[in-house]
Amino acid sequence: MMRYDRDGFPIPPDFDAGLEAFSADPPPLRQPPTGEPTRRQAGTRKRWILFGLIAALLLPSIVIPEMMPAIRQMVVEWSLEQALAREAQDDIGGAIGAVGRAIRWHGDDVELLCMRSMLRLEHRDAAGALEDANRAASFAPTSPQPLRARSLAHVVLGDAEAALEDAQTVVEMSAAGDPEALNHRAYVRALVGRDLPAALEDIDAAIGGHTDATPELLDTRGFILHLLGRTEEAIDQLNQAIDGMQQNRRQLGLLAGRVDRTELARRLRVLDHGLAVMLHHRGLACAEAGLEEQANQDFEIARKKGFDPSRGIF
């Protein structure tokens, strides 16, 4: 019996064996297992990986140099904020570390080095304070700021001659009659017990005829008067200094809630240290005058507020 294919043509008997192969549906193309990428997909993925590697290598060299100044400034500012916060919390070691990070990112800077110098002095690291002050002075030879810090480090280290020499240079570098420079030299002279009549001349010139002299200037004068044996005058002058400092503290306390809490705490801490020094000076003068009870009271409050010559709080 003649058979016909799907198009109506007769099928020869010999083609019977191959008919099924031609008439059957072609086998499906092999599909990759689930999750296995096709060759095209794999090629696309490799190109993206290659592009990513190139970007990772090239972008830092292109973008980071452009961004580094901004990044550096951000790190320095954040480090200084941390330093002030740590100082306000009496964490002087942490403050020193934060300033050190600022110096590493910023580079040598007079203010930063002097700031760390004074913190190191307070941390009982007078040698480190001297190192920072020397470093600042080496690249800012016309600035009196490093010499102020260095002279105090010399006082703590017991080198009176070096302290006096730096104090003298501070006056020479400053404007004629500069009250801060004269006060600094007068106070260093008082601390090392040298040239006391000249120290009194310095502080008298710094105060001048002003009736609104700062508590710091009045304290220096009172301390020198005490060392010169003019006890009653010393107590009177130190009373004025302490009253002025306490008034400043009260005024600063009124800013609570209106200024940054950390900055307020730091400034109050500085005032308390200044007040501690003044109370100690008055205690010395009162003891000399035989006012033992008042002297002991002043010494105790001064100690609680931080008076400590080994930390440069003197």
Side-chain angles (χ1 to χ4, degrees), residues 147 151 161-174 181 184-186 188-189 195 202:
L147 302 186
S151 63
E161 295 297 336
L164 290 169
E165 182 179 348
D166 280 341
Q168 176 65 30
T169 306
V170 167
V171 173
E172 293 171 357
M173 285 182 171
S174 304
H184 180 78
R185 185 171 65 179
V188 169
R189 284 171 165 170
D195 307 325
D202 275 346

Side-chain angles (χ1 to χ4, degrees), residues 121-176:
L121 195 62
E122 189 174 344
H123 202 50
R124 297 189 177 90
D125 180 16
L130 182 61
E131 180 183 343
D132 275 343
N134 281 331
R135 185 171 161 190
S138 68
F139 65 86
T142 61
S143 172
Q145 189 177 1
L147 302 186
R148 292 177 186 271
R150 192 168 72 181
S151 63
L152 296 178
H154 283 312
V155 170
V156 175
L157 290 169
D159 192 343
E161 295 297 336
L164 290 169
E165 182 179 348
D166 280 341
Q168 176 65 30
T169 306
V170 167
V171 173
E172 293 171 357
M173 285 182 171
S174 304

Side-chain angles (χ1 to χ4, degrees), residues 26-48:
L29 295 175
R30 177 182 177 276
Q31 297 296 324
T34 304
E36 180 181 333
T38 64
R39 183 173 300 177
R40 178 177 298 177
Q41 290 172 332
T44 301
R45 182 174 298 177
K46 288 179 181 178
R47 284 194 294 273
W48 279 111

Side-chain angles (χ1 to χ4, degrees), residues 66-84:
E66 296 294 328
M67 296 177 62
M68 277 308 296
I71 293 173
R72 183 179 294 109
Q73 185 64 25
M74 288 174 60
V75 173
V76 171
E77 290 179 358
W78 176 77
S79 297
L80 290 178
E81 289 176 4
Q82 288 293 303
L84 295 178

Side-chain angles (χ1 to χ4, degrees), residues 23 26 38 98 103 112 115 133 163 172 230 248 296 303:
S23 62
T38 64
I103 292 171
L112 292 178
M115 180 180 180
E172 293 171 357
R230 296 163 60 175
N248 289 346
N296 291 334
R303 185 189 61 79

Side-chain angles (χ1 to χ4, degrees), residues 8 27 55 70 75 88-89 99 107 122 146 182 196 203-204 216 231 237 272:
V75 173
Q89 298 165 3
V99 177
E122 189 174 344
L182 290 171
L196 296 179
I203 195 60
D204 283 344
E216 291 80 6
T231 306
Q237 201 83 122
D272 279 345

